[in-house]
Amino acid sequence: MHDLHKHPSGGDARRAPIASVACRTGRGGVCVVTLAGEFDLDSAPDVRRALDAVAQTSTARHTIIDCTSITFAGSALLDVLLAARRRQDLVLAGPLPRALGVLLDLTGSAGLFSVADSLDAARRRFEDRSPAAPGPGR
């Protein structure tokens, strides 16, 4: 499906949505939130809504954010991720795209996140934890 947008030249242009967010909860109580595209002030609220829904209504105990398809990451996305890490057991799955890596490095927030080299590595982090091990805020 494509959205209709005004082309800078004044004509209409068809293009795919700039950002997409998908969430699926799998075995072991792990929810994978996949982010794809550009995340700025306009699209970051979609990520916030998805992560809020996971925290409030999902049976997931852990959240993995698949960051591999992010093409732009603005400070609004960073704000959403920082808020999520305070209330959820969260891992960013990479390899992190340059756009997100630069944002985390420039803001000095890279060390605040648990980052895995791949989605499988992120899943293994949660599988290796004892079921009795408490998560954040527990």
Side-chain angles (χ1 to χ4, degrees):
M1 182 164 83
H2 294 288
D3 292 336
L4 189 62
H5 297 278
K6 284 288 187 188
H7 192 271
S9 66
D12 289 330
R14 292 196 180 271
R15 64 178 182 171
I18 293 174
S20 67
V21 179
C23 179
R24 64 190 181 284
T25 302
R27 60 182 149 77
V30 175
C31 178
V32 177
V33 177
T34 302
L35 304 181
E38 300 177 6
F39 293 92
D40 57 14
L41 193 58
D42 292 329
S43 53
D46 294 334
V47 180
R48 183 179 307 277
R49 281 189 291 278
L51 293 174
D52 286 348
V54 170
Q56 295 170 6
T57 63
S58 175
T59 59
R61 296 184 312 272
H62 313 290
T63 304
I64 297 171
I65 300 182
D66 180 355
C67 300
T68 56
S69 296
I70 294 173
T71 57
F72 176 80
S75 60
L77 177 62
L78 178 59
D79 180 55
V80 170
L81 296 176
L82 288 168
R85 70 172 276 283
R86 287 189 290 270
R87 67 180 186 274
Q88 292 167 264
D89 196 3
L90 184 75
V91 172
L92 303 180
L96 296 184
R98 186 176 189 287
L100 182 57
V102 168
L103 177 66
L104 295 176
D105 289 342
L106 287 176
T107 59
S109 57
L112 299 176
F113 293 96
S114 178
V115 179
D117 292 333
S118 69
L119 195 52
D120 287 338
R123 283 189 178 110
R124 282 193 299 273
R125 285 189 187 191
F126 291 129
E127 289 171 0
D128 291 344
R129 295 181 185 177
S130 162
R138 293 185 190 123

